[in-house]
């Protein structure tokens, strides 16, 4: 079994000097009362605050071009206490309503995708797992700081040699008289050097030195020693967030170990699936901003005596952006209902993997399309299009590389088909709850028996097709709830067209393999001079 995690293995060149200490993020304002809160009032204030912060030319330039971001900017954002949306009322928050959490993430990503990721890391990878699995009294103590001091938390899973292969992590722990001693090396944890708390993952070291198969989770308070930043990375995008390599040598109190429901793997699956299902919150505002900015550009920019929007190819790009916004809206609606904080999501692999991989592919394609429409000006690092390309790209990698997630979707569906003895792919899709409504649009192209010997590349392609089918089903359901009908119909047409193209590849393409290159096999100029 493989659990895909934050990134693939990336080796970074070490800095010779000691890593520079990041300035402490301090919030001095007292929290607002959230009893009987009006979420819409909060959301309106939050949107206006972010607009004032990130549309300021000085701040925009700083966030676009400078690594990390000034404590002043973060402090201005956090004065709105956005993380209280993830906290229950018992813990001084707004109620931990999943739909409200997604709406806050959407508002954040409309102005800044890195900011939305910061909120998502805190919420999905720290607050929610602590809410579900930490000792109740310890959770109350921790969340007091989140509610009153705007503390932040993150998660450390990924290791330099064990990215997607998280179950073979080498971080280890042993028992002590008062708790646990955790040692290891982690990297690519968002909020490196910033977070006040960390969830640390490790495997138990047995007496013979070997490591247990299962994973355990521990809460580390950064006020205690034990997590030292060895290096800050020069990440390609997401400049606002610090990433790096962290050396762990921490002593953890017994009360700070998360309580596993049965196994640590089940806890991990619940946490990752919950996080993946909330990706549409981060994607939604981002996609809406790209669409809005693209529309302003193509209606105001004239080429050949007419606005860009009058050109058919441009209109096709805009229509696809609208389809992605509609698809993302459908995913947000699904997650809001299906992923409440008290529900175990460890078995929701197909839905979580499909939503995460499809929506992040849409984010990157929308960014590339916006850059193409913007022309030369979009290639500036401080332009929305240029930033969008590099900031959205890692979303296709962290928390599960999309290639691997697509393959896992295929494996899961094939296993279900065998169990149910489905005669064809269509026969299965027609009965499967995540695809039943979409199956009618795809009968003519899915009424075939799956080959038991699909190559890996075709498993990945089929997984993408299945993921799009799940999203198509969600779009149909959104239409039934009253979403704008023409957007729904256009999106259905876009998704079915994309599904047909993928199925054509699965059926028709040959498995062409790389050539064993020797000597001057690629020397085209040498051929001309022989």
């Amino acid at each position: 079994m493989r659990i895909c995690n934050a990134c693939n293995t990336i080796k970074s060149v070490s800095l010779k000097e000691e890593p520079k200490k990041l300035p402490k993020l301090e919030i001095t304002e007292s929290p607002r009362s959230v009893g009987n809160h009006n979420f819409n009032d909060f959301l309106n204030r939050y949107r206006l605050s972010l607009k004032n912060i990130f549309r300021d030319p000085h701040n925009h330039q700083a966030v676009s071009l400078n690594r990390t971001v000034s404590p002043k900017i973060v402090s201005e954002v956090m004065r709105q206490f956005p993380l209280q949306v993830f906290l229950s009322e018992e813990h001084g928050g707004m109620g931990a309503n999943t739909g409200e959490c997604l709406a806050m993430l959407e508002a954040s990503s409309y102005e800044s995708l890195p900011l939305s990721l910061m909120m998502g890391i805190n919420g999905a990878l720290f607050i929610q797992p602590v809410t579900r699995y930490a000792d109740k009294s310890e959770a109350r103590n921790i969340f007091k700081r989140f509610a009153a001091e705007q503390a932040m938390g993150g998660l450390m899973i990924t290791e330099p040699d064990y990215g997607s292969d998280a179950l073979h992590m080498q971080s280890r722990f042993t028992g002590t008289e008062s708790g646990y001693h955790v040692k290891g090396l982690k990297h690519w944890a968002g909020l490196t050097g910033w977070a006040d708390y960390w969830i640390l993952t490790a495997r138990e070291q047995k007496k013979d030195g070997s490591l247990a198969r299962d994973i355990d989770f521990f809460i580390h308070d950064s006020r205690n020693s034990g997590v030292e930043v060895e290096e800050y990375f020069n990440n390609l995008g997401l400049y606002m967030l610090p990433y790096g390599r962290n050396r762990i040598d921490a002593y953890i109190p017994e009360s700070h170990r998360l309580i596993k429901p049965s196994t640590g793997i089940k806890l991990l699956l619940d946490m990752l699936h919950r996080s993946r299902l909330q990706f549409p919150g981060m994607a939604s505002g981002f996609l809406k901003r790209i669409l809005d900015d693209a529309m302003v550009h193509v209606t105001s920019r004239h080429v050949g005596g007419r606005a860009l929007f009058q050109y058919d190819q441009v209109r096709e790009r805009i229509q696809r952006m609208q389809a992605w916004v509609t698809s993302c809206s459908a995913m947000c609606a699904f997650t809001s209902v299906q992923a409440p904080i008290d529900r175990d999501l460890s078995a929701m692999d197909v839905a979580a993997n499909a939503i995460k991989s499809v929506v992040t592919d849409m984010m990157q394609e929308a960014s590339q399309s916006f850059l193409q429409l913007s022309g030369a000006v979009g290639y500036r690092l401080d332009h929305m299009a240029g930033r969008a390309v590099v900031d959205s790209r890692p979303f296709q990698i962290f928390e599960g590389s999309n290639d691997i997630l697509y393959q896992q979707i295929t494996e899961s569906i094939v296993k279900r088909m065998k169990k149910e003895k489905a005669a064809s792919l269509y026969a299965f899709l027609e009965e499967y709850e995540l695809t039943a409504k979409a199956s009618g649009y795809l009968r003519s192209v899915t009424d075939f028996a799956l080959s038991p010997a699909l190559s890996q590349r075709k498993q990945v392609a089929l997984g993408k097709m299945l993921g799009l089918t799940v999203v198509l089903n969600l779009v149909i359901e959104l239409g039934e709830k009253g979403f704008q009908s023409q957007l729904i119909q256009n999106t259905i047409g876009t998704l079915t067209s994309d599904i047909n193209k993928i199925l054509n590849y699965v059926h028709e393409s040959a498995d062409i393999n790389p050539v064993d290159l020797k000597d001057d096999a690629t020397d085209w100029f040498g051929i001309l001079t022989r």
Side-chain angles (χ1 to χ4, degrees):
M1 179 179 182
R2 298 187 70 188
I3 305 296
C4 307
N5 187 40
C7 67
N8 294 329
T9 299
I10 299 177
K11 301 268 182 153
S12 178
V13 178
S14 298
L15 302 176
K16 292 182 179 179
E17 66 271 13
E18 289 294 316
K20 184 169 61 176
K21 292 282 187 182
L22 290 177
K24 176 65 177 173
L25 301 178
E26 294 183 352
I27 312 299
T28 57
E29 185 173 316
S30 299
R32 293 183 175 89
S33 172
V34 294
N36 299 316
H37 77 278
N38 186 313
F39 178 75
N40 287 330
D41 287 347
F42 156 77
L43 195 60
N44 289 333
R45 288 196 310 270
Y46 186 57
R47 285 172 174 158
L48 180 60
S49 175
L50 295 186
K51 183 177 180 179
N52 291 336
I53 294 169
F54 287 96
R55 303 294 179 95
D56 179 283
H58 177 75
N59 289 343
H60 174 74
Q61 191 82 355
V63 171
S64 297
L65 302 178
N66 298 332
R67 294 195 177 276
T68 73
V69 67
S70 72
K72 177 178 178 294
I73 293 177
V74 178
S75 180
E76 289 178 11
V77 172
M78 298 301 279
R79 284 194 184 102
Q80 299 301 319
F81 298 91
L83 293 181
Q84 288 189 353
V85 177
F86 284 101
L87 295 173
S88 66
E89 292 183 2
E90 174 190 0
H91 293 132
M94 297 185 190
N97 177 278
T98 302
E100 294 180 358
C101 293
L102 297 186
M104 185 275 286
L105 293 175
E106 178 186 85
S108 301
S109 64
Y110 190 86
E111 299 297 339
S112 170
L113 182 60
L115 173 67
S116 189
L117 179 57
M118 177 192 293
M119 299 302 162
I121 291 170
N122 274 279
L125 300 182
F126 186 84
I127 293 175
Q128 289 174 340
V130 168
T131 299
R132 286 181 55 78
Y133 299 111
D135 175 85
K136 299 304 180 185
S137 63
E138 292 302 331
R140 280 194 295 272
N141 292 332
I142 290 169
F143 289 148
K144 283 179 183 177
R145 291 189 66 199
F146 274 79
E149 303 173 29
Q150 290 301 285
M152 293 199 289
L155 170 69
M156 290 188 182
I157 296 180
T158 309
E159 299 182 3
D161 294 320
Y162 299 90
S164 295
D165 194 13
L167 294 185
H168 287 94
M169 67 177 65
Q170 295 302 294
S171 295
R172 59 198 64 205
F173 73 92
T174 54
T176 65
E177 289 185 2
S178 59
Y180 309 94
H181 183 199
V182 181
K183 297 186 69 173
L185 184 64
K186 303 289 189 180
H187 72 172
W188 288 110
L191 308 182
T192 291
W194 268 4
D196 300 280
Y197 293 97
W198 290 102
I199 292 179
L200 306 178
T201 57
R203 297 159 66 196
E204 184 174 12
Q205 183 173 343
K206 302 177 183 178
K207 292 182 179 180
D208 64 1
S210 64
L211 300 182
R213 289 177 56 83
D214 204 15
I215 298 172
D216 278 86
F217 302 76
F218 305 89
I219 302 171
H220 174 71
D221 187 333
S222 294
R223 291 174 296 187
N224 303 325
S225 61
V227 176
E228 300 298 329
V229 181
E230 291 190 340
E231 175 190 359
Y232 286 107
F233 295 159
N234 290 323
N235 33 295
L236 179 64
L238 301 171
Y239 281 6
M240 184 175 176
L241 303 183
Y243 291 89
R245 186 176 65 246
N246 302 269
R247 178 70 60 180
I248 300 172
D249 190 355
Y251 289 89
I252 310 292
E254 185 174 356
S255 60
H256 281 54
R257 182 180 183 177
L258 296 190
I259 303 167
K260 297 186 288 190
S262 55
T263 66
I265 292 174
K266 185 175 181 179
L267 191 162
L268 181 63
L269 287 172
D270 175 53
M271 178 173 60
L272 291 180
H273 291 168
R274 188 176 307 278
S275 179
R276 290 169 186 167
L277 286 167
Q278 293 175 93
F279 268 57
M282 295 183 286
S284 183
F286 176 77
L287 290 170
K288 288 180 179 180
R289 176 65 180 276
I290 284 179
L291 175 60
D292 289 348
D293 284 10
M295 279 300 299
V296 169
H297 178 73
V298 300
T299 53
S300 61
R301 175 75 167 173
H302 287 70
V303 175
R306 54 179 173 159
L308 282 176
F309 190 61
Q310 298 304 312
Y311 289 90
D312 184 60
Q313 173 64 16
V314 172
R315 295 173 72 86
E316 195 267 348
R317 288 186 182 276
I318 295 295
Q319 185 276 316
R320 286 184 67 82
M321 289 182 185
Q322 291 179 341
W324 296 322
V325 168
T326 304
S327 298
C328 190
S329 299
M331 295 183 233
C332 285
F334 174 84
T335 297
S336 297
V337 174
Q338 298 296 328
I341 187 62
D342 58 353
R343 182 177 180 183
D344 176 14
L345 306 181
S346 60
M348 288 187 67
D349 57 317
V350 173
N353 293 352
I355 283 174
K356 184 272 180 185
S357 51
V358 170
V359 82
T360 54
D361 279 355
M362 289 177 172
M363 292 168 69
Q364 179 62 194
E365 190 173 345
S367 304
Q368 294 285 357
S369 197
F370 182 30
L371 181 58
Q372 192 70 29
L373 291 173
S374 300
V377 68
Y379 201 60
R380 291 177 49 161
L381 195 58
D382 59 351
H383 189 276
M384 174 64 184
R387 288 251 43 90
V389 169
V390 292
D391 285 346
S392 66
R393 184 62 180 89
F395 281 72
Q396 295 173 295
I397 301 171
F398 57 53
E399 283 202 43
S401 168
N402 285 4
D403 281 355
I404 298 175
L405 295 186
Y406 283 136
Q407 182 182 352
Q408 289 181 342
I409 291 171
T410 296
E411 291 171 345
S412 184
I413 294 299
V414 168
K415 185 182 296 184
R416 284 175 165 85
M417 288 180 66
K418 287 181 179 179
K419 183 178 180 180
E420 297 175 16
K421 298 180 180 179
S424 69
L425 180 58
Y426 170 74
F428 174 81
L429 297 178
E430 186 182 26
E431 297 297 326
Y432 187 40
E433 62 177 350
L434 291 177
T435 58
K437 294 178 180 178
S439 64
Y441 290 88
L442 306 171
R443 179 166 189 166
S444 63
V445 293
T446 58
D447 197 9
F448 64 90
L450 277 181
S451 168
L454 280 176
S455 64
Q456 186 182 34
R457 68 188 70 177
K458 290 187 177 180
Q459 289 181 48
V460 172
L462 186 62
K464 185 169 186 176
M465 170 265 163
L466 292 167
L468 287 169
T469 304
V470 171
V471 173
L472 173 59
N473 204 81
L474 301 182
V475 169
I476 294 169
E477 291 180 346
L478 184 67
E480 293 172 348
K481 291 180 173 69
F483 201 80
Q484 212 276 350
S485 59
Q486 191 57 57
L487 282 175
I488 294 293
Q489 291 306 312
N490 287 355
T491 303
I492 289 173
T494 298
L495 294 176
T496 53
S497 176
D498 289 350
I499 288 169
N500 287 334
K501 291 175 184 176
I502 296 171
L503 284 174
N504 182 64
Y505 167 81
V506 172
H507 290 311
E508 304 296 335
S509 68
D511 288 343
I512 302 172
N513 289 302
V515 173
D516 184 13
L517 297 179
K518 297 179 180 179
D519 302 326
D520 58 353
T522 60
D523 182 12
W524 63 269
F525 186 71
I527 294 176
L528 298 180
T529 56
R530 287 176 187 170

